[in-house]
Structure formats: structure tokens, C-alpha cells
């Protein structure tokens, strides 16, 4: 009722049109970037007549960029491409309507993943209420019925954290001889979900770097040698490998969208700092445990309060960037505006 039917707005260079066109193109050409024979016969001057310049780059179609401004006939679609790759599969099965129904289906999977995550952290009451609140959120409904990659990124993160907490729960039952293998498998699957998210949206790359840094620190604080530590180490290694893969992908296939050059340097520095912190914590473990016993609870309370204050600031105070044309609106105002489709549905 809330997520179907999906929006049919897929024209122009806005996100729905670009994602849908990219998915259909991948299904048609068998690859993300493809060659356009018309470009091969045009010089630089003639090419400017057939393309527009946006964000300092030439676009032959809206959001379809020309990697080589002075030559070549390759077109590269905007955005990260995991979501268009998924759309290529659904378009091959159900055409354009299959593309449109992809996000509502992903949104339903997000509800299931959120329930599983909350169920592993608390009782069934909270696990039931959290998806219900998520379900009726106006922004969630808008994104579920709108062609964008937020839903896939959300699913990957919810599933990644869900498998991470599943591994922690399985680690508490190591009396079973097969528990060690299941713990390692849950950690690896969690890393794979985070790895997929890094190919879905650019902002999920720094988020995954932060998660990896915290995971490395947990190895220094973590359990004694055994299956649990091996599982965490396997998770960290998989995350590091997938992070390198994301760097190669962003530097080659998606090089014309959201350059992350400075971010990679800061990310590498964060990981090195995490390794050093883990080594220090393991070397001086008894001292660190005594200090944490004294300040652990105040630090947790301060972190929780900071998150609540940051959320309130983002929702009710922070204004949007002028480039979006929404400089007078907060996220709360936008949520009210996005509730219009919900009112129409009701």
C-alpha cells in the first residue's frame, strides 16, 4: 500500500531517468561504459554541438559523460553503478516496469533487514516497532517509490550490520564445534554487504572506512586468540580488500563522478591510526581496561547525546546547500513536502 505503485517519472537528466536509462543500457550493451559510433566521427568543435557542458564535463546525453573531451567515442553514465547493474537485471526480466518495481521491492527487504537487526539487539517489541516507524516515514516512502540508489545502500548497510551482530551473537555459543565456522562466515558476509554498499553510493565509502577503523580497534580490545578473533580478523581483511576494490573502481570506471581523491588519503590515515591504536590497546590492555572502566559509561552517554543533538540539528536547523535550490528548507520542511504523495495515496 505504501510503496506501490512506483513513480513513473523517468524522463530527463534527473536521478530516475539516469538510473533507469543506465540499467537498460547495461542490459543492452553488456557493460557500464559503451561506445557511441557518432562520437568517433566528430572533432572537438563538432562534438561541442552535440553535447552540453555540466559541472565542467561534456555530456552527450543528460548525465552521460564523455571521458575523453578531445577524442574517443566512449560514454560513461553518471553515479556509482551497482544500482544500475541491478536495474539491468530487472529490466531484462520485466522491462522498464521491472526497473520501476525494483526500489519498492528493495524497500520491503529493508524492513525485513531492520527487523532482523533490531531482533538481534533487543526484544521482539522493539524489533516490530522500528520497521513500522520506518514504514510510514514520508522520506522513506518517497525514496521507496522513486528511482534512486539510497534504498540499495540502505539495504546493504542494514544487512551488513545485521550479519555483524549475528556473528557477535554466534560467538557467545562457541561450545558448538561448528560455531567457529559460522562466526567467520557471518563476519565475511557482513563485509561483503559493506563492500557492495561502497559500489552503490559515494558517501558510503567514508562510512565503510570508519566502520573498518572501528573494527580494527576492536581487534586490539577484542577477545583472546580463537575463532572469534579469527572471524574479526577475516572481516577486517575482507573489508580492506573490498575498500581497495572500491578505490580501483572509483579511479577507473567511475572516475568522472564525485572524485574521492582527498578522501582516500584521509581514509588511509584513519586506518593506519586505527592499527596503531589497536597495537597500543593490546600492549597496554590492563591499563586501558582500568581507564575504560572509569570513563566508559560517561563516554557512551556523551556519544549518545551527541548523536541525538546532531540528528536534531540536521532535521530542524541545518539548511540545504544553495546548489540544490533548497537553501530555505530544513530536512523537516522537506519531509513535509515529500509527504504530498502520501496524502494523495490516502
Amino acid at each position: 500500500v505504501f510503496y506501490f505503485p512506483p513513480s513513473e517519472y523517468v524522463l530527463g537528466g534527473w536521478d530516475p531517468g539516469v538510473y533507469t536509462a543506465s540499467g537498460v543500457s547495461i542490459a543492452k550493451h553488456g557493460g557500464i561504459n559503451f561506445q557511441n559510433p557518432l562520437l568517433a566521427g566528430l572533432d572537438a568543435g563538432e562534438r561541442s554541438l552535440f553535447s552540453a557542458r555540466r559541472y565542467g564535463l561534456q555530456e552527450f546525453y543528460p548525465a552521460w559523460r564523455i571521458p575523453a573531451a578531445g577524442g574517443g567515442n566512449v560514454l560513461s553514465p553518471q553515479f556509482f553503478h551497482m544500482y544500475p547493474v541491478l536495474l539491468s537485471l530487472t529490466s531484462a526480466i520485466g522491462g522498464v516496469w521491472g526497473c520501476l518495481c525494483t526500489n519498492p521491492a528493495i524497500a520491503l527487504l529493508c524492513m525485513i533487514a531492520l527487523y532482523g537487526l533490531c531482533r538481534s539487539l533487543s526484544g521482539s517489541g522493539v524489533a516490530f516497532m522500528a520497521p513500522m516507524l520506518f514504514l510510514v516515514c514520508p522520506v522513506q516512502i518517497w525514496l521507496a517509490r522513486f528511482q534512486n540508489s539510497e534504498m540499495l545502500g540502505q539495504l546493504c548497510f542494514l544487512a551488513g550490520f545485521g550479519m555483524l551482530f549475528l556473528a557477535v551473537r554466534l560467538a557467545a555459543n562457541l561450545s558448538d564445534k561448528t560455531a567457529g565456522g559460522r562466526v567467520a562466515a557471518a563476519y565475511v558476509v557482513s563485509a561483503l554487504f559493506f563492500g557492495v554498499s561502497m559500489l552503490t553510493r559515494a558517501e558510503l565509502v567514508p562510512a565503510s572506512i570508519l566502520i573498518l577503523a572501528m573494527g580494527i580497534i576492536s581487534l586490539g580490545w577484542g577477545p583472546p586468540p580463537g575463532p572469534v578473533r579469527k572471524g574479526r580478523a577475516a572481516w577486517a581483511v575482507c573489508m580492506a580488500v573490498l575498500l581497495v576494490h572500491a578505490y580501483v573502481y572509483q579511479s577507473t570506471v567511475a572516475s568522472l563522478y564525485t572524485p574521492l581523491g582527498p578522501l582516500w588519503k584521509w581514509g588511509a590515515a584513519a586506518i593506519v591510526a586505527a592499527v596503531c591504536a589497536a597495537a597500543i590497546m593490546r600492549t597496554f590492555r590492563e591499563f586501558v581496561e582500568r581507564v575504560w572502566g572509569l570513563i566508559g559509561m560517561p563516554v557512551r552517554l556523551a556519544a549518545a547525546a551527541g548523536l541525538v543533538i546532531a540528528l536534531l540539528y540536521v532535521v530542524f536547523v541545518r539548511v540545504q546547500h544553495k546548489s540544490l535550490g533548497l537553501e530555505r528548507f530544513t530536512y523537516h520542511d522537506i519531509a513535509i513536502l515529500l509527504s504530498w504523495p502520501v496524502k494523495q495515496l490516502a
Side-chain angles (χ1 to χ4, degrees):
V1 172
F2 285 97
Y3 294 162
F4 290 91
S7 169
E8 298 182 21
Y9 183 83
V10 294
L11 299 177
W14 207 22
D15 293 16
V18 176
Y19 279 124
T20 303
S22 299
V24 174
S25 172
I26 292 171
K28 178 180 178 181
H29 298 98
I32 295 173
N33 300 333
F34 72 94
Q35 296 183 347
N36 186 289
L38 175 61
L39 292 176
L42 302 177
D43 58 31
E46 294 171 331
R47 180 172 300 183
S48 63
L49 300 176
F50 290 88
S51 61
R53 197 162 189 83
R54 190 182 184 196
Y55 302 122
L57 297 169
Q58 282 186 300
E59 294 185 349
F60 188 74
Y61 304 118
W64 286 73
R65 295 169 174 174
I66 306 173
N73 61 341
V74 175
L75 292 179
S76 177
Q78 190 179 336
F79 304 130
F80 279 16
H81 302 109
M82 181 55 71
Y83 180 59
V85 168
L86 176 61
L87 292 183
S88 71
L89 300 177
T90 56
S91 68
I93 297 172
V96 175
W97 188 250
C99 288
L100 298 180
C101 292
T102 302
N103 254 23
I106 295 176
L108 295 177
L109 292 177
C110 287
M111 298 299 102
I112 298 174
L114 181 60
Y115 174 84
L117 173 60
C118 295
R119 187 73 176 83
S120 65
L121 294 175
S122 59
S124 58
V126 174
F128 177 78
M129 286 300 300
M132 292 301 100
L133 294 174
F134 223 34
L135 177 68
V136 298
C137 174
V139 178
Q140 182 75 3
I141 295 173
W142 174 278
L143 294 176
R145 300 177 65 181
F146 192 76
Q147 292 296 93
N148 61 83
S149 60
E150 277 84 350
M151 284 292 97
L152 181 57
Q154 183 184 100
L155 176 62
C156 290
F157 252 56
L158 289 174
F161 277 116
M163 295 303 297
L164 196 58
F165 288 116
L166 174 63
V168 173
R169 192 169 75 248
L170 289 175
N173 188 27
L174 289 180
S175 58
D176 186 348
K177 295 182 179 179
T178 62
R182 293 201 300 269
V183 169
Y187 274 121
V188 171
V189 173
S190 169
L192 291 175
F193 275 117
F194 287 122
V196 172
S197 75
M198 288 187 278
L199 306 179
T200 304
R201 296 192 59 82
E203 63 267 22
L204 297 183
V205 174
S208 298
I209 292 175
L210 179 61
I211 293 170
L212 173 58
M214 297 303 296
I216 293 174
I217 292 175
S218 75
L219 285 172
W221 184 275
V228 177
R229 183 189 289 186
K230 290 180 180 179
R232 293 188 183 182
W235 176 87
V237 171
C238 288
M239 286 285 288
V241 171
L242 292 168
L243 192 61
V244 173
H245 176 259
Y247 171 76
V248 174
Y249 161 76
Q250 191 274 322
S251 302
T252 54
V253 179
S255 61
L256 296 184
Y257 176 66
T258 312
L260 300 176
L263 172 65
W264 294 115
K265 297 178 182 179
W266 285 105
I271 293 174
V272 171
V275 171
C276 294
I280 292 173
M281 292 173 66
R282 183 153 296 277
T283 303
F284 304 98
R285 181 167 182 168
E286 293 183 1
F287 174 76
V288 172
E289 288 180 348
R290 287 200 301 269
V291 172
W292 184 252
L294 296 175
I295 67 172
M297 184 55 68
V299 169
R300 291 191 182 97
L301 292 176
L307 287 174
V308 172
I309 293 172
L311 177 63
L312 294 175
Y313 171 77
V314 167
V315 172
F316 294 103
V317 180
R318 178 181 179 270
V319 294
Q320 298 299 291
H321 195 275
K322 292 182 178 180
S323 65
L324 298 177
L326 300 172
E327 62 270 15
R328 292 176 294 177
F329 293 104
T330 66
Y331 278 110
H332 177 260
D333 298 324
I334 295 173
I336 294 176
L337 292 177
L338 295 185
S339 68
W340 179 83
V342 184
K343 295 176 182 177
Q344 297 300 310
L345 180 64

